[in-house]
Amino acid sequence: MKSLNRLFRPKTIAVVGGGAWCRLVIEQCQKMGFDGEIWPVHPKAEELAGLPVYRDVASLPEAPDATFVGVNRFATIEVVRDLAARDAGGAVCFASGFLEAQAEDSEGADLQAQLLAAAGQMPFLGPNCYGFINYLDGALLWPDQHGGKRVEKGVALITQSSNIAINLTMQTRGLPIAYVVAAGNQAQSGIAAIGEALLDDDRVTALGLHIEGFGDLRAFEALAAKARALGKSIIALKVGKSAEAQAATISHTASLAGGDAGAQALLTRLGIARLEDLPAFLETLKLLHVTGPLPNNRLGSISCSGGEASLAADTAHDLPVVFPPLNDTQKTDLRAALGPMVALANPLDYHTYIWRDTEAMTRAWSAMMDPSLAMTLLIVDFPRTDRCSASDWDCAIEAAIGAQHATGANVALVATLPELLPEAVADQLMGAGVVPFCGLREALLACAAASAPRPDVAEPVLLPTTVVVPSLVSEAEAKFRLAQYGLRVPKSIRAKSPGMARAAAADIGYPVVLKGEGIAHKTEAGAVVLGLATGGEVSAAADAMPTERYLVEEMITGAVAELLIGVVKDPAHGFVLTLAAGGTLTEILQDSCSLLLPASDAAIDAALDGLKIAKLLAGYRGKPAADRAAILRAVTSVQAYVLAEAEGLEEIEINPLLCTPEDAVAADALMRRKDLLK
């Protein structure tokens, strides 16, 4: 596929079709002041939106840079073929009824294949999409209303939903938007390729993605690499956590959402911060537009109300941000600015007696802005303008701007309620380098996202293999295979009768564990008994199990913690490695962290440290610590097996991994795979 640059930054625009949608595309460009040529194309009309009409693509004066194709799906294919033949820069395919509609229309998939063949190397967006808005150059291949305006620089937004794209342009938060792109069903140009093209524009400061499904993982790795090289941040609003959202995604976009753990692991690996809702998404982009990534998560907060100070502290309590205690320099400067009656703290209530004194407010706010802080939050809510006067709040605007200019620090003015920061004020602050945050929690979420650690460049992910219908590998066989890659497993002997199980126990040495084979969840089925100390106990336990095949193992004692190591093939994201509290605590604690393979030792260590049971692993209340090196060997042994034997593999689960002060032993192993002929 050729570059998307001509399409997104056109000098000439063709509009094919004569309906209201096509007329709107032309009118939007005219209204926004597009200074290039606009060429309507229709076989019968004489004029469209006051412009002369060309009969067909072949009649155009030259190959257009960008074309809005607003005809039915069958005619779309022919128009795209004609554009490609003329070496046009690219197209927006508005029509629906392609692959995204295959559940309702069997022709959809075939028509999409025809569209791809017709385009050849010419890039296009969609089908089933609105197109894009370039607010930098006033180029709008967009057949509907929008709420944006021309800007000199700003953030770029890409979404798989045209309706969400429209809504994002309607924001009144002071966020300068450079581009909005609706990707449609991404038949050819995916979100990642679009993102790379937009990042290439020096006027784009950050990139926000609304993602339903990833598609080409290698393309997202390339997108992240480009952003890293350019020093620009990417954030994402990724849907698909709920079963309902996943089902809606599949029917809506013909893309596979996959499991949410895999999606989160991919975003983390790529250094793309994830937001959970649109307000926080927009506020984070606003922050990144002004400051770029934050160097740390240390914040200062200053307000004229004790209620707001405590609200800031409590709102931040469950978020990865901190309000560090004031240092000596801050205390000295704040005392000089505020006098002896103010109790100094962070968050700070500076009282109201300096309100309206712009110089005093500027001094006090500047005193809070220590170089060790990543951001200082100035909490100010403005009165509603229809019933009140906001003239007394001019001092706050001037002090915020003055303090930022005096210190050069990262400064934000925060309204605790989003509606209490007027758009005109937000625009004024943004233009002066002060972040105007609409909502306290949104501000803190934005600071957390902007300060999230950016991981080192990782190896390319292990791509998902072809989905197979797997078989359940016996526990003994699963352990044998994993042991070949270094996993420590207990001594074991398989038995076909209670008597043979008893003899095996004597050979291994008591105490032993007896397990019934061929059962995935042994504990629930009563197919595992621990600590058998005599032959009689082994025979009795075997007789009571719902199976005729057994596994007798040495009993591992002295565990200080139990872990789960799991790997699942996620068709959308690759092979997901999950580390979790193991044994009976797995479902109770819901304590887990997921990574994509291959994972580095450092990433595995960080995941282990992030678990709730990390304290047990480190030695809790005088208890001995687990052998961390042995745990890491166990995890990397499972990873080594997956990397070598990925074809046909669907799932591995070690639960529990018994972590002792000297070892880490896989007490149970589940494996589902289909062994393929090599």
Side-chain angles (χ1 to χ4, degrees):
M1 185 180 74
K2 294 181 180 178
S3 169
L4 287 158
N5 289 343
R6 278 179 68 194
L7 174 62
F8 285 136
R9 294 178 278 282
K11 302 297 184 185
T12 56
I13 295 175
V15 180
V16 180
W21 300 107
C22 294
R23 181 179 296 276
L24 270 171
V25 171
I26 297 172
E27 291 174 350
Q28 297 284 20
C29 285
Q30 292 170 333
K31 183 179 178 180
M32 195 62 72
F34 176 66
D35 60 6
E37 296 287 329
I38 303 175
W39 300 324
V41 177
H42 192 276
K44 298 179 181 179
E46 296 297 326
E47 68 85 29
L48 190 63
L51 297 175
V53 175
Y54 296 86
R55 290 287 171 261
D56 50 33
V57 170
S59 303
L60 293 174
E62 59 186 79
D65 293 325
T67 302
F68 182 85
V69 183
V71 295
N72 68 57
R73 58 180 179 165
F74 302 104
T76 292
I77 296 170
E78 298 309 315
V79 171
V80 166
R81 182 176 289 111
D82 292 342
L83 288 168
R86 290 210 64 178
D87 196 26
V92 169
C93 296
F94 181 57
S96 60
F98 291 85
L99 186 60
E100 82 285 349
Q102 65 176 335
E104 298 82 25
D105 187 344
S106 58
E107 282 190 286
D110 180 61
L111 288 173
Q112 182 147 311
Q114 292 182 44
L115 179 63
L116 285 165
Q121 293 299 305
M122 184 192 75
F124 67 87
L125 302 183
N128 188 28
C129 83
Y130 264 33
F132 69 90
I133 302 172
N134 173 347
Y135 286 118
L136 300 163
D137 305 309
L140 293 84
L141 273 70
W142 193 260
D144 206 336
Q145 297 186 93
H146 65 93
K149 61 183 180 180
R150 291 286 290 266
V151 297
E152 294 183 359
K153 65 177 182 177
V155 304
L157 304 172
I158 308 174
T159 170
Q160 289 178 248
S161 165
S162 298
N163 206 50
I164 286 180
I166 293 174
N167 296 341
L168 291 175
T169 72
M170 301 295 177
Q171 57 87 28
T172 58
R173 297 165 176 263
L175 174 66
I177 300 175
Y179 290 92
V180 174
V181 181
N185 82 4
Q186 304 178 81
Q188 181 210 63
S189 301
I191 284 179
I194 295 169
E196 283 203 64
L198 300 184
L199 287 176
D200 274 334
D201 193 322
D202 292 339
R203 300 167 293 177
V204 170
T205 55
L207 177 62
L209 309 176
H210 164 249
I211 304 172
E212 296 176 1
F214 285 98
D216 186 345
L217 299 180
R218 292 286 181 259
F220 273 90
E221 290 173 335
L223 172 64
K226 168 157 279 191
R228 188 181 294 110
L230 294 173
K232 299 181 181 182
S233 294
I234 306 174
I235 66 166
L237 179 68
K238 170 68 176 72
V239 299
K241 282 189 174 183
S242 64
E244 294 81 5
Q246 290 185 30
T249 293
I250 293 168
S251 62
H252 181 53
T253 65
S255 62
L256 187 60
D260 191 66
Q264 182 59 63
L266 179 61
L267 290 170
T268 300
R269 187 186 189 96
L270 297 178
I272 298 175
R274 182 179 188 179
L275 285 305
E276 303 294 337
D277 55 60
L278 288 171
F281 178 75
L282 291 172
E283 295 306 306
T284 304
L285 286 170
K286 201 186 298 182
L287 167 59
L288 292 170
H289 172 76
V290 175
T291 71
L294 297 181
N296 57 63
N297 66 344
R298 295 165 56 86
L299 308 178
S301 171
I302 185 167
S303 61
C304 63
S305 161
E308 290 171 342
S310 58
L311 183 62
D314 281 0
T315 304
H317 183 69
D318 63 337
L319 300 176
V321 294
V322 295
F323 290 110
L326 299 175
N327 60 36
D328 290 342
T329 301
Q330 288 172 299
K331 290 177 182 178
T332 299
D333 293 346
L334 285 167
R335 185 62 70 207
L338 295 172
M341 294 188 297
V342 174
L344 301 182
N346 183 26
L348 174 66
D349 166 19
Y350 66 90
H351 299 194
T352 57
Y353 66 87
I354 62 170
W355 187 261
R356 299 186 187 89
D357 186 339
T358 302
E359 290 187 10
M361 292 172 67
T362 303
R363 286 196 303 272
W365 291 1
S366 297
M368 193 72 176
M369 298 170 190
D370 190 76
S372 66
L373 299 177
M375 175 71 70
T376 301
L377 308 176
L378 315 172
I379 300 179
V380 180
D381 284 273
F382 288 75
R384 53 187 298 163
T385 56
D386 58 340
R387 300 174 186 172
C388 307
S389 170
S391 59
D392 274 353
W393 273 254
D394 290 344
C395 59
I397 299 171
E398 294 172 15
I401 295 172
Q404 195 282 326
H405 289 175
T407 63
N410 292 331
V411 179
L413 192 147
V414 184
T416 59
L417 296 177
E419 62 269 27
L420 298 187
L421 183 56
E423 185 177 17
V425 175
D427 287 338
Q428 182 181 354
L429 292 168
M430 183 71 82
V434 175
V435 184
F437 277 133
C438 299
L440 178 56
R441 183 166 180 83
E442 289 87 346
L444 294 169
L445 287 167
C447 291
S451 62
R454 283 165 286 283
D456 295 332
V457 179
E459 293 181 59
V461 299
L462 177 62
L463 297 178
T465 54
T466 304
V467 176
V468 298
V469 179
S471 300
L472 181 65
V473 178
S474 71
E475 180 183 348
E477 178 64 20
K479 286 179 174 176
F480 173 78
R481 296 187 186 197
L482 292 167
Q484 305 308 302
Y485 288 84
L487 182 66
R488 167 80 163 89
V489 300
K491 299 174 186 176
S492 63
I493 300 176
R494 303 175 78 176
K496 296 181 179 179
S497 69
M500 293 177 67
R502 180 170 180 165
D507 287 342
I508 291 172
Y510 296 104
V512 297
V513 178
L514 182 69
K515 300 175 180 178
E517 286 204 301
I519 301 170
H521 299 287
K522 298 178 180 64
T523 301
E524 293 86 340
V528 57
V529 182
L530 307 177
L532 299 174
T534 68
E537 290 179 1
V538 172
S539 298
D543 286 333
M545 286 186 180
T547 182
E548 296 180 353
R549 294 181 292 116
Y550 310 95
L551 183 66
V552 186
E553 291 187 332
E554 67 171 312
M555 178 79 181
I556 305 298
T557 59
V560 299
E562 296 183 354
L563 284 175
L564 175 147
I565 305 171
V567 176
V568 175
K569 182 172 71 181
D570 180 335
H573 309 113
F575 285 84
V576 181
L577 167 68
T578 297
L579 304 176
T584 58
L585 296 179
T586 298
E587 294 183 2
I588 296 173
L589 290 184
Q590 297 290 299
D591 177 23
S592 67
C593 183
S594 293
L595 308 167
L596 290 180
L597 298 183
S600 67
D601 289 356
I604 295 169
D605 260 331
L608 291 169
D609 287 338
L611 296 177
K612 297 173 185 175
I613 64 165
K615 291 181 179 179
L616 288 178
L617 299 177
Y620 187 63
R621 292 193 173 183
K623 297 290 181 68
D627 186 335
R628 187 62 169 258
I631 295 172
L632 184 60
R633 284 195 299 272
V635 177
T636 55
S637 295
V638 174
Q639 172 171 260
Y641 175 84
V642 177
L643 296 178
E645 306 289 346
E647 288 294 336
L649 179 66
E650 293 292 313
E651 181 181 6
I652 293 173
E653 183 176 288
I654 307 299
N655 188 23
L657 180 77
L658 298 175
C659 304
T660 75
E662 300 85 21
D663 210 345
V665 186
D668 197 2
L670 179 149
M671 182 183 292
R672 295 190 308 116
R673 66 168 302 124
K674 180 177 182 180
D675 288 325
L676 307 175
L677 296 176
K678 295 184 179 180

